[in-house]
């Protein structure tokens, strides 16, 4: 090994050390309570422990949820506040063609004296049926109470209201009821919403109102750097995810939405419990929420505001730019990159100009290809759940190997010119996408300031030796911004779908290789070795563990009289479960309109039917047809109607209430035990065909018939979302009332 190789290896090791430092310096941890108005995690978790009691799942409309509400109200009173419970039947129609209904009981209280333009702290207390919801959204509730407690001692100048909503998991029904019908909603000027799609990691601020000038100013003024970047906000707005804030934003409020996304495989399972609730995460959400409320107190709502772009520098600094300024700086940085490239001669300038593009394509394709290959070989859909590091290593090695191979084949030396070329390509990418994903510029514009400095140094002969150092600094600043963002995206997408993130790593490799002015010799070999190690590891590590589980809810379902056990197909069923029931060898569509994808199905004993559906009236007049339906199901936790051939439906009322008009309704659902008698009235066009109806009723828990399957489920698998359940589906033909007979059920 020659001296050059040694120096190369030394710099590679130094680079790895810097990257490792960036990861470990993630600024989250539990602080000892400092007093003096600081967020106290211990106190917050103690309150939550009391509220959750025996940690039973407490979905909306269940007795367990009522018990949680009573304990919550008692805790609020113990803090010296006056909780008021607002109960109303309400349907949320935020998704086209669907009305999701419930009778939410929202708990609200004023932290300060009541007033207008108030800051609302919102979180929800209901859980999914599958788990106790210690993080989702018990953590939000705990943080809201502790922040309220701290603000009481130290009241801000702007009024503060807390709303702990109900039935979020049933379709944002509580928050929708608050926004549409609660008189308090009119007094809200800004919202700090607290959510969880996981149990660990930072509390990311991932959504604001638009334009966001005041929101960003509030976050900057609060005295705690939020974990936030515009790119994540851009991506969230593209994805079909929702929180309570979705239905609160139309109030025209300012907003900051915080959510935790680490440990996402425990989300909505029984493992979202107090033991798995990361105390450092509670502290981070607490510090962030307290600062956001204090920040909004300095930003009363008035006048116009502009759209801002923002990013946090590893929790140390909150960097903010107005959108046009970001664009201007991007153009400047792009120009500087071109200048450094042109003024740095290597004798292979044409190849060096295109090498980064080819390296990105090769690295990206190799990473995606390696991931697809592992997915093809491994039987489980979520094979990297328990040991994501193995696939992460494989993807990174594939990305770097692809890039190193391209440089080797092109005989392009690493160094300042290659780094400048890579900055030109990143600049072109960011500028090309600026209209659609302006947040991407926040990863590039700050390091490009050092490239601008390098361009100046290149033009002054005396400063020439500083050029590689300035370019290296640009790469380091990029690492500080891009690596945490990449980590966030991997948590958000899950590593199985995160292969394209290696493009950031390839850029980083090209940015940081500023010293060695010779074709990279050892890099392809080293990355090929890593590729082999990562590939073997990704293939052999266990897919699931007791704390990082597979999602395996058991559904005991009867469709038009035909009962079955049904389990979503996300991999082969465990042998122990196959022994208990005779599952088919091939997964198939279940026939349930609410199902998504194929499932494993086995014969099951017939249901003991209860209740029934009747047409209580069917009258036609000159203006149209009115059909009243009454579904009674004494054991159901949710009842739903799916209408097919429903073109003639003009209006639907549920429990005597007309959902807010939106798209024509083809689905109505009602969650909670109050919906055990489910009354729906259809108004149809005079000559319309009667629609076909699928009546679906769900009861949480799989019941005695499914207990053997539950017992056979391995500890590495858990129910998720609605969880284990009994579902009865019945197709009902609404016949014209020839004789006065009720409509027959097929
Ligand atoms: Zn939630």
């Amino acid at each position: 090994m020659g001296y050059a190789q040694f120096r190369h290896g030394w710099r590679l090791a130094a680079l790895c050390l810097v990257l490792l430092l960036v990861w470990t310096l993630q600024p989250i941890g539990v602080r000892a309570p400092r007093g003096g108005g600081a967020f106290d995690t211990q106190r917050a978790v103690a309150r939550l422990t009391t509220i959750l009691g025996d940690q039973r799942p407490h979905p909306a409309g269940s007795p367990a949820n009522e018990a949680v509400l009573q304990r919550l109200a008692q805790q609020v009173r113990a803090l010296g506040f006056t909780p008021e419970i607002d109960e109303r039947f309400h349907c949320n129609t935020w998704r086209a063609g669907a009305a999701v209904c419930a009778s939410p009981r929202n708990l609200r209280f004023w932290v300060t004296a009541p007033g207008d333009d108030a800051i609302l702290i919102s979180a929800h207390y209901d859980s999914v049926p599958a788990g106790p919801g210690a993080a989702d959204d018990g953590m939000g509730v705990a943080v809201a109470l502790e922040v309220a407690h701290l603000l009481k001692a130290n009241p801000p100048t702007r009024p503060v209201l807390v709303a702990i909503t109900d039935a979020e998991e049933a379709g944002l029904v509580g928050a929708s009821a608050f926004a549409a019908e609660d008189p308090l909603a009119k007094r809200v000027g800004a919202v700090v919403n607290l959510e969880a799609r996981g149990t660990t990691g930072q509390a990311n601020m991932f959504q604001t109102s638009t334009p966001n000038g005041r929101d960003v100013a509030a976050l900057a003024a609060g005295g705690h750097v939020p974990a936030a970047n515009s790119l994540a906000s851009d991506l969230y707005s593209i994805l079909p995810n929702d929180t309570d804030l979705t239905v609160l934003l139309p109030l025209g409020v300012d907003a900051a939405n915080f959510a935790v996304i680490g440990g996402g495989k425990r989300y909505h399972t029984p493992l979202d419990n107090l033991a798995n609730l990361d105390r450092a995460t509670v502290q981070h959400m607490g510090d962030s929420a307290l600062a956001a409320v204090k920040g909004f107190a300095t930003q009363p709502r008035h006048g116009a505001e502009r759209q801002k772009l923002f990013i946090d520098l590893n929790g140390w600094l909150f960097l903010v730019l107005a959108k046009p300024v970001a664009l201007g700086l991007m153009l400047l940085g792009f120009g500087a990159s071109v200048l450094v490239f042109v003024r740095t001669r290597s004798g292979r300038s044409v190849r060096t100009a295109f090498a980064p593009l080819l390296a990105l394509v090769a690295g990206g394709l190799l990473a995606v290809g390696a991931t697809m290959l592992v997915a093809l070989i491994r039987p489980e859909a979520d094979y990297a759940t328990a040991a994501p590091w193995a696939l992460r290593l494989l993807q990174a090695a594939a990305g770097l190997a692809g890039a190193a191979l391209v440089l080797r084949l092109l005989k392009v030396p690493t160094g300042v010119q290659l780094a400048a070329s890579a900055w030109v390509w990143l600049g072109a990418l960011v500028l090309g996408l600026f209209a659609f994903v302006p947040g991407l510029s926040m990863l590039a514009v700050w390091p490009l300031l050092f490239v601008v400095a390098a361009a100046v140094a290149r033009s002054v002969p005396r400063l020439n030796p500083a050029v590689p150092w300035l370019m290296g600094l640009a790469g380091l600043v990029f690492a500080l911004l891009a690596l945490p963002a990449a980590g966030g995206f991997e948590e958000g997408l899950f590593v199985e779908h995160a292969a394209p993130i290696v493009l950031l790593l390839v850029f980083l490799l090209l940015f940081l290789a500023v010293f060695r002015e010779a074709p990279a010799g050892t890099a392809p070999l080293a990355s090929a070795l890593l590729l082999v190690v990562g590939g073997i590891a990704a293939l052999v590590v266990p897919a699931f563990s007791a704390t990082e589980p597979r999602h395996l809810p058991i559904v005991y379902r009867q469709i038009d009289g035909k009962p079955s056990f049904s389990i979503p197909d996300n991999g082969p069923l465990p042998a122990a479960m196959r022994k208990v029931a005779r599952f088919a060898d091939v997964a198939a569509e279940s026939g349930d309109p609410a199902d998504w994808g194929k499932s494993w199905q086995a014969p099951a004993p017939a249901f003991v039917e209860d209740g029934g559906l009747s047409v209580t009236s069917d009258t036609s007049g000159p203006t149209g047809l009115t059909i009243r339906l009454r579904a009674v199901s004494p054991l159901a936790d949710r009842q739903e109607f799916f209408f097919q051939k429903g073109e003639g439906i003009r209006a639907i009322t549920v429990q005597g209430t007309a959902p807010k008009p939106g798209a024509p309704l083809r689905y109505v659902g009602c969650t909670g035990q109050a919906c055990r008698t489910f009354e729906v009235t259809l108004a149809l066009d005079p000559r319309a065909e009667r629609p076909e109806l699928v009546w679906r009723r769900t009861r949480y828990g799989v019941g005695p018939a499914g207990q053997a399957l539950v017992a056979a489920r391995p500890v590495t698998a858990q129910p998720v979302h609605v969880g284990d359940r009994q579902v009865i589906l019945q197709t009902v033909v609404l016949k014209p009332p020839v004789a006065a007979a009720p409509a027959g059920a097929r």
Side-chain angles (χ1 to χ4, degrees):
M1 191 163 90
Y3 177 65
Q5 268 91 3
F6 170 75
R7 282 179 62 91
H8 186 67
W10 182 85
R11 285 190 170 117
L12 202 69
L15 166 69
C16 291
L17 203 70
V18 169
L19 298 189
L20 204 70
L21 265 177
V22 170
W23 279 117
T24 51
L25 286 180
Q26 291 272 341
I28 101 164
V30 188
R31 277 197 326 264
R34 289 177 312 195
F39 188 90
D40 188 333
T41 294
Q42 254 186 353
R43 214 156 50 190
V45 173
R47 265 182 225 117
L48 178 61
T49 305
T50 307
I51 291 168
L52 291 181
D54 59 2
Q55 292 198 62
R56 200 179 292 211
H58 50 282
S62 69
N65 203 38
E66 177 60 27
V68 165
L69 175 62
Q70 292 313 321
R71 291 192 293 263
L72 168 63
Q74 191 267 323
Q75 287 296 309
V76 172
R77 277 191 294 269
L79 290 174
F81 300 113
T82 312
E84 280 177 11
I85 293 166
D86 181 65
E87 176 171 6
R88 54 185 83 232
F89 179 80
H90 180 82
C91 297
N92 183 12
T93 51
W94 95 116
R95 281 205 174 127
V100 290
C101 311
S103 298
R105 309 188 69 193
N106 296 332
L107 180 146
R108 308 101 75 245
F109 64 93
W110 286 101
V111 176
T112 58
D116 290 329
D117 196 27
I119 304 164
L120 173 73
I121 307 172
S122 60
H124 67 91
Y125 69 89
D126 65 306
S127 76
V128 288
D136 178 16
D137 192 19
M139 174 164 47
V141 173
V143 165
L145 296 197
E146 174 66 6
V147 167
H149 169 66
L150 295 170
L151 292 176
K152 189 175 190 236
N154 219 333
T157 48
R158 198 172 164 183
V160 178
L161 176 71
V162 173
I164 311 291
T165 65
D166 189 9
E168 191 271 352
E169 305 290 5
L172 323 179
V173 187
S176 176
F178 176 84
E181 300 178 49
D182 193 326
L184 285 179
K186 292 189 176 57
R187 314 196 76 175
V188 175
V191 179
V192 175
N193 188 55
L194 307 170
E195 257 293 0
R197 202 227 58 184
T199 58
T200 66
Q202 307 182 107
N204 302 288
M205 201 301 297
F206 64 100
Q207 187 184 21
T208 57
S209 65
T210 311
N212 63 9
R214 271 192 303 274
D215 310 324
V216 173
L219 292 164
H224 176 266
V225 175
N229 67 71
S230 292
L231 180 55
S233 302
D234 289 349
L235 297 180
Y236 174 79
S237 67
I238 297 168
L239 297 172
N241 297 315
D242 288 292
T243 70
D244 276 347
L245 195 61
T246 302
V247 292
L248 298 175
L249 276 178
L251 290 171
V253 292
D254 293 332
N257 202 359
F258 291 88
V260 167
I261 58 168
K265 292 291 165 69
R266 291 191 285 271
Y267 161 70
H268 282 187
T269 76
L271 297 181
D272 180 7
N273 55 28
L274 285 169
N276 287 327
L277 179 62
D278 190 335
R279 274 32 175 194
T281 297
V282 179
Q283 178 84 55
H284 191 254
M285 181 175 268
D287 292 339
S288 306
L290 182 60
V293 174
K294 286 182 176 168
F296 274 117
T298 68
Q299 305 289 326
R301 190 173 47 151
H302 62 74
E305 51 180 344
R306 292 200 301 167
Q307 187 70 7
K308 294 283 173 71
L309 299 173
F310 53 89
I311 193 166
D312 77 287
L313 184 72
N314 214 45
W316 304 326
L317 284 174
F318 190 51
L319 306 168
V320 179
L321 289 176
K323 217 169 142 184
V325 176
L327 183 61
L329 286 177
M330 274 309 303
L331 287 167
L332 179 69
F334 181 73
S337 309
V338 172
L339 198 75
V340 175
F341 176 82
V342 172
R343 293 258 177 111
T344 310
R345 295 282 150 74
S346 72
R348 292 182 189 274
S349 289
V350 177
R351 287 185 189 188
T352 305
F354 288 97
L357 181 65
L358 294 173
L360 287 162
V361 170
L365 286 181
L366 205 57
V368 171
T371 307
M372 283 169 69
L373 197 63
V374 174
L376 209 65
I377 295 169
R378 295 210 62 150
E380 313 90 351
D382 305 318
Y383 53 88
T385 296
W389 62 265
L391 188 61
R392 190 181 300 139
L393 177 67
L394 175 65
Q395 289 170 345
L400 297 183
L405 197 68
V406 163
L407 299 186
R408 179 89 175 142
L409 289 176
L410 292 180
K411 298 196 171 63
V412 168
T414 60
V416 167
Q417 196 185 29
L418 181 65
S421 175
W423 282 112
V424 172
W425 283 105
L426 181 68
L429 182 75
V430 170
L431 288 168
L433 293 175
F434 194 82
F436 315 101
V437 197
L440 189 57
S441 66
M442 286 293 96
L443 297 183
V445 73
W446 308 101
L448 276 172
L449 295 178
F450 291 90
V451 178
V452 172
V456 173
R458 180 55 93 215
S459 312
V460 182
R462 201 162 43 85
L463 296 177
N464 261 323
V467 172
W469 294 100
L470 288 167
M471 294 296 282
L473 269 175
L476 280 178
V477 173
F478 180 78
L480 278 170
L481 294 169
L483 287 181
F489 299 141
E490 194 206 280
E491 282 181 330
L493 300 169
F494 295 108
V495 64
E496 292 95 335
H497 316 290
I501 289 172
V502 300
L503 295 181
L504 290 176
L505 275 188
V506 174
F507 268 122
L508 193 55
L509 173 84
L510 300 171
F511 293 157
L512 285 171
V514 283
F515 288 104
R516 189 177 152 82
E517 307 271 350
T522 47
L525 203 69
S527 48
L529 197 70
L530 272 183
L531 197 62
V532 172
V533 173
I536 292 172
L539 287 173
V540 302
V541 288
F544 310 106
S545 70
T547 52
E548 306 288 341
R550 178 180 179 181
H551 292 162
L552 221 51
I554 299 164
V555 185
Y556 176 28
R557 182 190 281 124
Q558 179 162 297
I559 302 181
D560 292 332
K562 203 167 151 264
S564 68
F565 289 119
S566 170
I567 299 174
D569 171 22
N570 52 26
L573 275 187
M577 296 178 84
R578 286 197 166 272
K579 273 193 198 132
V580 173
R582 292 190 11 251
F583 282 94
D585 293 329
V586 184
E589 303 289 343
S590 71
D592 184 333
D595 246 17
W596 204 73
K598 295 187 172 178
S599 57
W600 301 106
Q601 288 159 49
F607 270 77
V608 181
E609 290 263 2
D610 66 296
L613 184 134
S614 54
V615 177
T616 52
S617 83
D618 186 328
T619 53
S620 59
T623 55
L625 205 64
T626 307
I627 301 175
R628 290 179 202 281
L629 303 162
R630 169 194 272 233
V632 178
S633 187
L635 298 176
D637 294 299
R638 178 180 293 176
Q639 297 212 63
E640 297 158 291
F641 288 158
F642 297 81
F643 296 104
Q644 276 132 23
K645 299 182 203 152
E647 290 75 19
I649 300 177
R650 241 178 16 211
I652 299 184
T653 61
V654 187
Q655 314 291 67
T657 307
K660 199 175 72 184
L665 293 177
R666 295 291 176 269
Y667 165 94
V668 288
C670 192
T671 298
Q673 298 188 358
C675 305
R676 287 178 167 178
T677 298
F678 184 37
E679 292 182 306
V680 172
T681 304
L682 303 177
L684 293 154
D685 287 331
R687 274 183 302 251
E689 199 186 341
R690 283 174 164 72
E692 205 172 88
L693 164 67
V694 175
W695 173 32
R696 186 174 189 270
R697 37 195 166 140
T698 301
R699 187 182 176 193
Y700 305 144
V702 79
Q707 280 314 307
L709 267 179
V710 172
R713 181 168 48 202
V715 291
T716 55
Q718 295 287 348
V720 68
H721 306 310
V722 187
D724 298 340
R725 56 196 182 272
Q726 304 164 63
V727 178
I728 304 179
L729 285 130
Q730 227 169 302
T731 307
V732 179
V733 178
L734 301 171
K735 289 179 197 145
V738 195
R746 207 163 62 194

